[in-house]
Each structure stands twice: as structure tokens, then as C-alpha cells.
Amino acid sequence: MSMSNDCCSTAAILSSPNDIVTVTTELHYKDLLGAWKVRWGIGRMKYKIDPGLYRVGSPDQTSPVLVSANYKLTFDSLRKELTGLSCWLLILDTKGINVWCAAGKGTFGTAELVNRIAKTGLYGIVSHHKLILPQLGAPGVNALEVARQTGFTVVYGPVRAGDIKAFLSSGLTATAAMRAVKFTTLDRLVLTPMELVPAAKTSLLILGVLFLLNLFAARPFGPADFIGYAGAVLMGTVATPILLPLIPGRAFAWKGWLLGLLWTAWFIWFNGWLAPGFLLLASGYLLTLPAWSAFLAMNFTGSSTYTSFSGVIKEMKVAAPLIAASSVIGIVLLLAAALLG
């Protein structure tokens, strides 16, 4: 039974092309709304489709097979670029994670690709033995092993889905521009809501604690303190990704800490807290706010071209203990300043 389904229903173990779900290349309102919601962290871990084989247009045994992840944002980004084409989409079970991250985690990998070829009955669907994988999935797939176990040859397509038509029309030849991995200002800005929302949720908890603390504090936390905290959050989640290439150093934690330090120093000076009577308060903020900016900025290390997987691990091992130690000492000083006045 052939059917058109924008929600991408389950593609079961297949034995005939007629059993395969057909998807359109047009994105509808609920797709755009879903993309907006997931950008803001709403339902992020549930935004996925069922793995399996799908078709676009009217593919036959000779049509190309494009391999992708079951993260719906990735799937939608691919299918909307396939207007006018007829092809098969082999979707791997990456647990709702995009291709790049899933390749690093191993879910967009050799074992899953081999397994999905067998489960979908791809051998009986196409007469050729060629799979087109996204270039960013290469770290997770051993092409030689896939060929040995399945007989299918792996060809790596362009980095961006927008180049897939040109790639197919050129006989599966990628230009240097198609291979280039970019991380533009817009690319970085798109990621900021995903960091702002968790930070906002944590902030509600912090504000609740401060409200209770103010019941006993000799120096209550007020609007100025909130502004200082909010600025540190924005330094880590927005300013750091925007200014990323301009900030010296490679480690994201360092970049976030540096901007956080500049913000905190200005904030303390502006409020006149450099006076001797504000020593505990100023010291507490100098230790706490830049550390929080560094922590938030460090979340971008797994989303960029600036660091390798090993670089991310190394940075976290070094930065995390320093951030924790600075935060703890700073919080103690802030509590002392609040209770002692």
C-alpha cells in the first residue's frame, strides 16, 4: 500500500516497493512549527521519525539511495531539497540525533547501516549497490566494512543538503565548496535558543533560592544583581557564539570565561562595587559570573568546526573542575556578603 504522509509513519520490514511510505518535499505549517519549537528546546528529544526506507517522487530500481538520520529536523532539511527528484531515503535509527553528532556517538554508524539495509530489504528494491551518505556522517561509518558485509559501496555526498541536486546531476562529483564545512554567524545564532532555554530554566531555580535567602539577608539581592547574572548568561549563550572567530584562543570555555570576565569587571565598576566595603561581593561575582559564562559557552564545543571530538573531551576535563571550583568559592563569598551585609 502506497501512501503520502508528512508525519512519516512507520516503515516496516519491507518486501516490496509498494509497501514503502512516500513523503512529499513540501514542508507544511506543522513542520515549520515543529522546527521552531525544537530550536527552542521544546520536545527536542522526541523530534524524530521512524527509521526505515522512504521514497520521494517515483523512484525505480536504478534511483539513488540517500542515507540520513531519523532526527526530523535533519530529515526535513533533506527532503525539501529533493523537489523534482525521484529517490530512496534510507533513514537510520540515530535516536533522534543529527548526522554529525550521531556519527560521533556511533549511532550513525556501520552496524546500524548494515542492519537497516537488511531490515528494509534494500537488496530487492534497487538493482545497483551504491549508497550516498552525508559527508558529516563519515566519522561513524567504515565504508570498507559496509561493502564487505552488504556489497553496497558508500559514496559521500556534500556537507549541506542544499547541494544534493547539483551533486546528483554532476554524476556524484562534489566540488571543493560542497566539501567545505562552514560555521557562519547565522549557523551559530541558530544554536543559541537551545542554550538560552535551559539557562532560563536554571535561572528560575536560582531566583527562587535568592528569594528565600533575601528573607534573612542583611544585603538582599536586587535588580542590579539580576542584571549582572543575566549579562553573564548572555555572554555565554549569545555573545560568545556571535564573536567566536574574534575571541582569542580555541577553547570555548576560555572564550566564554573571557567575555564573562569583561562583562563582570564592567558591571562591578558601573555599580561602584570596587570600594573596600564591597570586597566580598565583588570577589564573589568575579569568581562566579565568568565561570557561568564559560560553562554555557562550553556547550557549543560539540556543535562546531572549531574543535575535534578529542579536543572537546580534553577541554571538558580541564575546564569543568576549574569552573566548578571557581563557582563554589564565588558562591560562598556571595553568601557571606549577603548574610554579613
Side-chain angles (χ1 to χ4, degrees):
M1 177 178 65
S2 176
M3 59 184 292
S4 177
N5 187 345
D6 293 311
C7 295
C8 307
S9 300
T10 302
I13 297 177
L14 306 169
S15 58
S16 167
N18 293 327
D19 297 324
I20 303 172
V21 172
T22 301
V23 295
T24 69
T25 58
E26 181 182 358
L27 300 186
H28 295 280
Y29 170 75
K30 65 179 179 180
D31 299 312
L32 300 177
L33 178 61
W36 180 85
K37 289 169 63 178
V38 79
R39 290 294 189 193
W40 285 92
I42 303 172
R44 167 64 186 86
M45 300 313 296
K46 297 181 180 179
Y47 202 60
K48 56 187 177 182
I49 64 170
D50 295 316
L53 191 64
Y54 299 84
R55 60 178 167 187
V56 174
S58 303
D60 57 25
Q61 291 184 329
T62 64
S63 298
V65 179
L66 308 179
V67 181
S68 191
N70 76 326
Y71 179 34
K72 191 173 185 300
L73 199 60
T74 297
F75 183 76
D76 287 348
S77 296
L78 173 60
R79 68 184 174 102
K80 74 182 180 67
E81 301 294 342
L82 302 177
T83 301
L85 299 180
S86 291
C87 56
W88 305 102
L89 301 181
L90 183 64
I91 305 302
L92 306 189
D93 184 5
T94 60
K95 315 302 180 186
I97 304 298
N98 67 71
V99 171
W100 196 356
C101 294
K105 293 176 180 292
T107 51
F108 191 98
T110 304
E112 169 58 16
L113 179 56
V114 170
N115 177 61
R116 200 55 53 186
I117 291 171
K119 279 192 172 183
T120 56
L122 189 60
Y123 304 98
I125 303 296
V126 295
S127 57
H128 62 83
H129 292 85
K130 188 170 291 184
L131 303 173
I132 301 173
L133 274 65
Q135 179 180 312
L136 295 182
V141 177
N142 184 328
L144 293 177
E145 189 62 22
V146 172
R148 186 186 72 81
Q149 293 191 42
T150 68
F152 279 89
T153 301
V154 170
V155 177
Y156 289 107
V159 169
R160 297 183 178 272
D163 292 324
I164 193 64
K165 276 190 175 181
F167 177 76
L168 293 174
S169 63
S170 66
L172 308 187
T173 300
T175 64
M178 291 181 187
R179 294 292 185 212
V181 181
K182 301 177 182 178
F183 196 44
T184 65
T185 301
L186 180 59
D187 293 331
R188 300 194 297 272
L189 276 177
V190 166
L191 298 172
T192 58
M194 284 289 292
E195 306 306 326
L196 275 172
V197 171
K201 292 178 179 178
T202 303
S203 299
L204 291 176
L205 177 62
I206 292 174
L207 290 176
V209 172
L210 293 181
F211 173 79
L212 295 176
L213 182 64
N214 277 356
L215 299 177
F216 310 97
R219 185 230 167 240
F221 291 93
D225 302 279
F226 173 77
I227 292 172
Y229 171 79
V233 171
L234 293 176
M235 289 299 106
T237 59
V238 179
T240 298
I242 289 177
L243 302 175
L244 194 64
L246 304 177
I247 308 172
R250 291 185 60 85
F252 279 50
W254 158 258
K255 291 173 182 285
W257 181 86
L258 184 59
L259 289 191
L261 179 64
L262 293 175
W263 159 255
T264 306
W266 176 87
F267 169 73
I268 291 172
W269 171 83
F270 180 82
N271 284 283
W273 293 346
L274 293 175
F278 294 98
L279 180 61
L280 284 178
L281 183 66
S283 299
Y285 276 132
L286 282 171
L287 288 170
T288 305
L289 296 185
W292 184 233
S293 298
F295 174 77
L296 293 171
M298 193 168 58
N299 289 334
F300 284 87
T301 56
S303 310
S304 77
T305 58
Y306 282 67
T307 50
S308 64
F309 181 71
S310 60
V312 172
I313 299 300
K314 180 179 180 181
E315 177 180 349
M316 293 182 68
K317 285 183 177 179
V318 173
L322 293 176
I323 290 172
S326 181
S327 298
V328 169
I329 297 173
I331 289 172
V332 170
L333 294 177
L334 290 174
L335 291 175
L339 296 174
L340 298 177

